Amino acid sequence: MAAAGLGPARPLLARRPGALRALLGLARGLAAGPQTHFGFQNVSEEERREKIYQVFENVAEKYDVMNDSMTLGIHRVWKDILVHKMNPSPGTLLVDVAGGTGDIAFRFINYVRSVRERQLQQKLKRHQNLSWQEISKSYEEEKVKPLGDSQVVVCDINKEMLKVGKQRAQHLGYSEGLSWVLGNAEELPFDDDKFDVYTIAFGIRNVTRIDLALQEAYRVLKPGGRFLCLEFSQVSNPLLSRLYDLYSFQVIPVLGEIIAGDWKSYQYLVESIRRFPPQEELKEMIEDAGFFKVDYQNLSSGIVAIHSGFKL
Amino acid sequence: MAAAAAGSLRRAGWRLWRGRAGLRCQLYPPQRALHASAVLRRASDEKKEPLASSPQQQFDSPPADPQPDHEPQGPRSSYTGQGGQESEDYESEEQLQHRILTAALEFVPEHGWTAEAIAEGAKTLGLSGAAAGMFHNDGSELILHFVSQCNTKLSDLLEQEQKQVQLGKTEKKPTDQFLRDALEARLRMLIPYIEKWPQAVSILLLPHNIPSSLNLLTSMIDDILHYAGDQSTDFNWYTRRAVLTGIYNTTELVMMQDSSPDFEETWRFLENRIADAMNMDNTAKQVQSTGQALAQGLMGAAVTITNLTGLNQRR
């Protein structure tokens, strides 16, 4: 990993007595951006972005398998709860940022499809005496617009994750209403006031400037649009917190090594969870970006939290 | 004159004591840093206060709004002053929610009391359908909003009527007529939604909704009896309200399955029930006096028998 390459270079520069060298190092540090954290290390912002890109490049292939083994499959329930909370109706435009392998997008499509089917069924039930023509027209409508104009755009900064996502979509048979875009959450390649719902599931932790990402979220949402963030958060129960810490630091990196052959990435993962702001702080950050009616819901007693805000 | 003044004072005191829902709307929103709001509209466009930070610049000249909406054009930014409270020019989130729910009511006959109706309502206001996420998924807020709106309309109606009577323009109605008219007026407000009303009633009976729906029901009945001139201070206060609540609920149920033109059957049912209630008052008094008479008769009979059998004599 590049982290190892950069590591020894920096202390080497610092030890040189030449003032010019020290100045150059300082200048490079300033150019790379203010200090931030990467797991429990302190790095510059530029470095952090690079490192995170590499983490996900490495884990992309085994991302879904690792998710299942780390959370014992519970992550599926969390994502289901997120989409259920969203309660999208046909015609909703969703942007799933840091959507990577497409979990939220696929669930969204399933949900909208079933809502649409129910809608059409109820329409049929209400008009008791329809002619055969009308009945066949409604079946056609179901085939032509199974999603009722809903669309989901999956946006991710990492090409590998998008590649894996597209393969999955093909494998599972999702083609309609789905598009894949390469983009940075801090600078989305979309126009203002475009989307009904913005979701970011287990992604905002990896964004270097969370405030920028929130501002971008505000920008691309339509008035009345909803911001939903699913992310690991702080556990309040002290006993559970101890068990959770034990599991995180002892079991997860080992699983990472066994299943994905990558200890460091999963070490980063659990460290980044600890460095992420707790529920109330994230709520305040979301409010600062301009969202109203900001609220959060703890899942699994705080291991994961869903934050929701509206652009009003 | 003095009685009228005393009456109005009592009403004012009664309202204050009850702590009406109107006070709830005046909650100040929490402290907020300077930011811009895209939708919460200004009540008055005159005051133009200087905007400080750059994020608000983009809202100064709003991008071409594709949907024609009812909101005033021009800068729509809200911000907080030094004290951290939102400038009183702007509507609060609660008011926006009320607007959305009111707009959603016209979609109820089609979609029922559901989140879809709320989403459609939000769309007519120029908001995205996702704004329906602000409310509970089962549509309870929509129903409660509707019920409280109806109750407010009824109160206003009754107050108007009372003013008319006080000004001497109309005669004061006899109690049973008054109650009948009040209940009929209230039930008529359900007519546009009568098809989906059973669904609404079932949602109102859900455990988490019972406190609010019961509250609304009891305050409505209280209102009606107050304007009917009920000044009882004994147990009658409770009996009267319980009886009237019973009448209202049963009439509502009858109305839901009534198919006669203009719900004639329902109004006739209502008339009969109110007549019953009036009679019940008299019957109660009769029962009491009959009971007393009966007790006295029994005592007399007992004394007579003891006299006849000679048990009373002292030897």
Side-chain angles (χ1 to χ4, degrees), chain A residues 84-87 89-92 111 115 118-119 122 126 192-193 195-197 215 218-219 222-226 287-293 308 310-312, chain B residues 30-40 55 58-59 63 78 86 93 96-97 109-111 115-116 119 123 126-134 137 196:
Chain A
H84 202 82
K85 191 175 166 109
M86 194 198 307
N87 194 18
S89 51
T92 305
Y111 195 100
V115 171
R118 200 164 19 110
Q119 260 184 2
Q122 283 201 346
R126 247 184 297 147
D192 297 358
D193 298 343
F195 296 101
D196 290 305
V197 186
Q215 280 174 23
Y218 191 84
R219 182 180 68 83
K222 281 188 209 162
R226 189 173 195 183
E287 280 175 352
D288 283 340
F291 290 100
F292 283 87
K293 289 208 70 81
S308 155
F310 290 88
K311 174 172 175 173
L312 289 180
Chain B
Q31 304 237 344
R32 203 76 76 84
L34 284 170
H35 64 262
S37 161
V39 169
L40 296 183
Q58 25 173 309
F59 293 94
S78 101
E86 212 163 274
E93 296 153 20
L96 177 67
Q97 286 184 297
E110 191 189 331
H111 293 278
E116 270 121 44
K123 283 192 199 149
L127 298 177
S128 143
M134 282 197 279
N137 268 352
K196 304 284 181 175

Side-chain angles (χ1 to χ4, degrees), chain A residues 30 125 170 173 197 216 260 264-265 301:
Chain A
L30 279 176
K125 250 198 276 183
Q170 225 175 19
V197 186
E216 280 294 285
K264 279 186 172 282
S265 300
S301 21

Side-chain angles (χ1 to χ4, degrees), chain A residues 108-124:
Chain A
F108 172 82
I109 292 178
N110 288 342
Y111 195 100
V112 166
R113 216 180 263 162
S114 65
V115 171
R116 179 97 178 121
E117 270 174 22
R118 200 164 19 110
Q119 260 184 2
L120 290 172
Q121 269 176 14
Q122 283 201 346
K123 215 165 40 161
L124 273 181

Side-chain angles (χ1 to χ4, degrees), chain B residues 175-183 224-225 228 244 274 278:
Chain B
T175 318
D176 58 343
Q177 175 80 7
F178 180 89
L179 292 177
R180 204 171 53 197
D181 285 342
L183 285 181
I224 296 180
L225 278 172
L244 196 60
I274 297 211
M278 295 286 123

